[in-house]
Amino acid sequence: MEFQEAVTRQRIPRTIRKGAVERHHMQTEKHKWNILFHRSSSSKQKTKPSEIPVEFLCPVSGTLMKDPVIVSSGHTFERACVQACNTLGFIPTLMDGTVPDFSTVIPNLALKSTILKWCTDYSLDPPNDKTTLNFFSAEKLVHAKILETQQQKPKHPKKNEDQDAGAGIDHLVTDLITHDTWSSDDSPLQLKTPSSCYSSPSSSSADIRAFNLNPKDEDFVRKLKSPLVFEIEEGLISLRNTTRAREDDTRLQLCTSRLLSVLKPLIISRYTNIQVNSVACLVNLSLEKINKIKIVRSGILPLLIDVLKGGFPEAREHACGAIFSLALDDRNKIAIGVLGALSPLLHLLRSDERHRTRHDSGLALYHLSLVQSNVTKLVKLGSVPILLDIVKSGRLGRWVLLILCNLALCPEGRDAMRDSGGVDFFVGLLKRRDLKYESAQEICVSVLYGLSHGGLRFKGLARAAGAVEVLMQVENTGNDRTKKMVKRIIKILTETRMEEVLEDSGSTRCVSVVKKMGLAQIHKF
C-alpha cells in the first residue's frame, strides 16, 4: 500500500507539468500566428509615393503618360505631345543632350501596363482624359515652349530692318498668347519637377520659320482663326482662289505648318461651305510635289478619311481628289493604306452617284495598289468581286481593270480572282470585238498573264473557257507587247508536265500500271 501511494504522488506532478507545457505551447503558437497575421496585413498597406518614377513621365509635358509611344530614336513620349511637335516642327533636346526622332511612332504597351499596375498598387487613379493632355492642350504647351525659347535668345538690333522684324515677332507672340492662353489649372497632374526638355540649337531655325509668317500667310491665318463663320468662309474662298493659280510659287509659300494646323478643324466642320472649301484648298496645295509629304506629315490625312466616310457629297469628291494627289508620291502610299483609306475609297468607287468622286477614287486606288501591302489589304476587304461587278456594269472600266491587273500580281489576288470567276470573265471580254478603248485588250491579256502563274487550276479554268482559241485571235491583232504575253500564256496552256499527266490519267490507268508492275514482279520470280 505504501508503495502504491508513493507511485500515485509521483504521477500527479507529471500530469500537471504536462498540461502546463501544452498550455504554454498553445499560447506560443497563438502569439506566433498573431505576429504573422500582423506582418501580412501590414505588408499589404503601401504608403503613397512621394514622387512619380521619372520613366513614367513624358519628357515634353512632365506629366504621367496615358498613351506612351516609342519614337524612332528609342525615347518614349505621350502620343499627343509627339503629334504636337510634328505639327509645329518642334524638336526638343532632352536632359541627357540627345535629340529625339519623331518620324516613326510605335505604341509602348509594356510601359502603359506598368503605369496602370503602379497606379493600382498605390491606390491611385490611372491617367485619363481629364488628367492628361489632348492634342490641343499639347499644342498650346509646345507653343509656350517655342515662345519661351525665342525669348531666351539674344537680340542683335543692328539695323532698322532687324528691329522691324523683331517687332513683328513680338507682335506675333502677343497674338499667340492672346488666342492660345492656357492656365495652370487646366494642365493635368501638376508636378514639382520642371519640364525636362528645351529647344535645341538645330531646331531653333525651324521654329522661327514655323512662326515667321509671310505676308500672304498671315492674312489667311487671321481670317481662318476668326470666331465668325462668315469671315472663315471668306478666308477659305480667297485661299481657294489664290492656290488655284499656277503662275508662281504661291502654293509653296502658303503650305506652312501654321496654315495646315489652322485648316485641320475646318476640314471636319459641320458647316457645308467651310468643309467643302477647306478640302478644296488642300487639293490645290497638294498639287505641288514638295507639299505632298508635308501635308501627310501634318496629320491631316485621318481627317480626310473621316470626310470620305461621312462628309458632305462635294467634300467627299474633293477628299478623293486630295488622296489621289497625295498617293502620287511613293512615300505616302503605305501611310495612306495603313490609316484606313482603302475601304471608304472602295465604297465610293462602287456606290457614289458623282462621276468625279468615282473617277478620283478609282485613280487613288490604282496608285495605292502599286504597293504590295495595299494589295493584300484590298484582297482582304473583298475588293475582287466588287471590281469585277463594276467592270461588268460598264463604269470606269479602264481604271478598274488596271487595279485588277495589279491585284493579279500577288498570290492572294490570283486566288481571289480565280474564285470569283475572273478567268472566264476576262476570256469573255477578249471575245468581244467592241471594246470601248484600245488598251482594254492589252489590260485583259495582262490580267490573264498574271493569273497564268496559278498552275494547274488556271489551266483547267482557261481551257474550259476556250482561252487558247481566243488568244490565237488576239495574237494576230494585238501590239508587240500583247503578242509576247499571249505567246507565253499559250505556251503555259499547251505544255504538258508530269503532274498533269498523273492528274489526267485517272484511276483506270493507275490500276493498269500497278497490274503491269505486278506481272513483271511475278515474271521475275
Side-chain angles (χ1 to χ4, degrees), residues 35-62:
I35 294 175
L36 292 175
F37 178 76
H38 177 70
R39 289 179 179 176
S40 62
S41 61
S42 63
S43 61
K44 292 182 180 179
Q45 298 176 355
K46 292 185 178 181
T47 59
K48 291 186 178 181
S50 58
E51 293 183 359
I52 300 175
V54 179
E55 58 271 15
F56 294 172
L57 304 177
C58 175
V60 174
S61 63

Side-chain angles (χ1 to χ4, degrees), residues 181-218:
T181 54
W182 58 286
S183 60
S184 59
D185 298 333
D186 297 331
S187 59
L189 195 59
Q190 297 295 323
L191 301 174
K192 297 180 180 180
T193 57
S195 178
S196 58
C197 66
Y198 57 91
S199 178
S200 63
S202 61
S203 64
S204 59
S205 59
D207 300 337
I208 294 175
R209 286 195 303 268
F211 288 91
N212 235 350
L213 305 181
N214 55 61
K216 295 182 180 180
D217 192 37
E218 186 174 3

Side-chain angles (χ1 to χ4, degrees), residues 49-69 74-79 81-82 94-95 108 111-112 114-115 118-119 124 127 131-133 141 188-197:
S50 58
E51 293 183 359
I52 300 175
V54 179
E55 58 271 15
F56 294 172
L57 304 177
C58 175
V60 174
S61 63
T63 59
L64 189 65
M65 290 183 285
K66 175 191 173 186
D67 189 8
V69 293
H75 302 92
T76 300
F77 297 86
E78 180 68 33
R79 183 185 294 273
C81 294
V82 175
L94 306 183
M95 294 296 292
N108 194 342
L111 181 59
K112 183 176 181 179
T114 304
I115 292 174
W118 178 80
C119 293
L124 298 174
T131 60
T132 55
L133 292 172
L141 177 62
L189 195 59
Q190 297 295 323
L191 301 174
K192 297 180 180 180
T193 57
S195 178
S196 58
C197 66

Side-chain angles (χ1 to χ4, degrees), residues 53-281:
V54 179
E55 58 271 15
F56 294 172
L57 304 177
C58 175
V60 174
S61 63
T63 59
L64 189 65
M65 290 183 285
K66 175 191 173 186
D67 189 8
V69 293
I70 302 176
V71 297
S72 301
S73 56
H75 302 92
T76 300
F77 297 86
E78 180 68 33
R79 183 185 294 273
C81 294
V82 175
Q83 294 174 350
C85 290
N86 280 331
T87 301
L88 301 176
F90 179 69
I91 303 177
T93 299
L94 306 183
M95 294 296 292
D96 56 357
T98 59
V99 178
D101 181 8
F102 293 142
S103 59
T104 305
V105 176
I106 302 175
N108 194 342
L109 300 180
L111 181 59
K112 183 176 181 179
S113 60
T114 304
I115 292 174
L116 294 177
K117 185 178 182 302
W118 178 80
C119 293
T120 303
D121 292 342
Y122 288 99
S123 301
L124 298 174
D125 293 333
N128 50 50
D129 295 336
K130 295 182 179 180
T131 60
T132 55
L133 292 172
N134 55 20
F135 172 76
F136 298 104
S137 300
E139 192 175 19
K140 293 177 182 178
L141 177 62
V142 175
H143 268 305
K145 290 183 178 296
I146 296 175
L147 298 176
E148 181 183 357
T149 304
Q150 291 179 353
Q151 291 176 356
Q152 293 176 355
K153 294 175 184 178
K155 298 182 180 180
H156 302 284
K158 296 181 179 180
K159 298 180 181 180
N160 295 331
E161 296 178 357
D162 298 337
Q163 293 177 357
D164 295 339
I169 294 177
D170 293 338
H171 174 70
L172 179 60
V173 169
T174 306
D175 183 68
L176 287 173
I177 295 176
T178 303
H179 287 84
D180 296 325
T181 54
W182 58 286
S183 60
S184 59
D185 298 333
D186 297 331
S187 59
L189 195 59
Q190 297 295 323
L191 301 174
K192 297 180 180 180
T193 57
S195 178
S196 58
C197 66
Y198 57 91
S199 178
S200 63
S202 61
S203 64
S204 59
S205 59
D207 300 337
I208 294 175
R209 286 195 303 268
F211 288 91
N212 235 350
L213 305 181
N214 55 61
K216 295 182 180 180
D217 192 37
E218 186 174 3
D219 184 47
F220 290 121
V221 170
R222 180 182 56 80
K223 290 182 179 180
L224 298 182
K225 294 186 70 175
S226 172
L228 301 177
V229 176
F230 74 90
E231 288 188 1
I232 297 176
E233 292 180 350
E234 290 178 356
L236 287 172
I237 293 173
S238 177
L239 179 62
R240 183 176 180 179
N241 294 331
T242 303
T243 54
R244 192 178 297 170
R246 302 180 180 178
E247 303 81 42
D248 51 7
D249 57 348
T250 304
R251 295 170 187 158
L252 296 176
Q253 295 178 1
L254 291 176
C255 190
T256 61
S257 58
R258 175 72 173 171
L259 182 64
L260 293 176
S261 64
V262 175
L263 283 175
K264 276 185 179 181
L266 304 181
I267 291 176
I268 54 176
S269 173
R270 296 182 180 180
Y271 294 95
T272 306
N273 292 333
I274 292 179
Q275 185 181 96
V276 170
N277 288 303
S278 60
V279 180
C281 292

Side-chain angles (χ1 to χ4, degrees), residues 366 369-370 375 384 387-388 391 397-410 413-414 417 426 439-451 485:
Y366 165 69
S369 63
L370 296 174
V375 170
V384 173
L387 296 174
L388 290 176
V391 176
R398 182 171 182 271
W399 294 111
V400 176
L401 285 176
L402 288 173
I403 298 172
L404 289 170
C405 186
N406 292 336
L407 296 180
L409 298 178
C410 73
R414 289 194 289 266
M417 210 169 296
F426 284 104
S439 60
Q441 185 184 70
E442 182 179 354
I443 297 173
C444 292
V445 174
S446 300
V447 175
L448 288 175
Y449 179 72
L451 295 176
M485 289 188 290

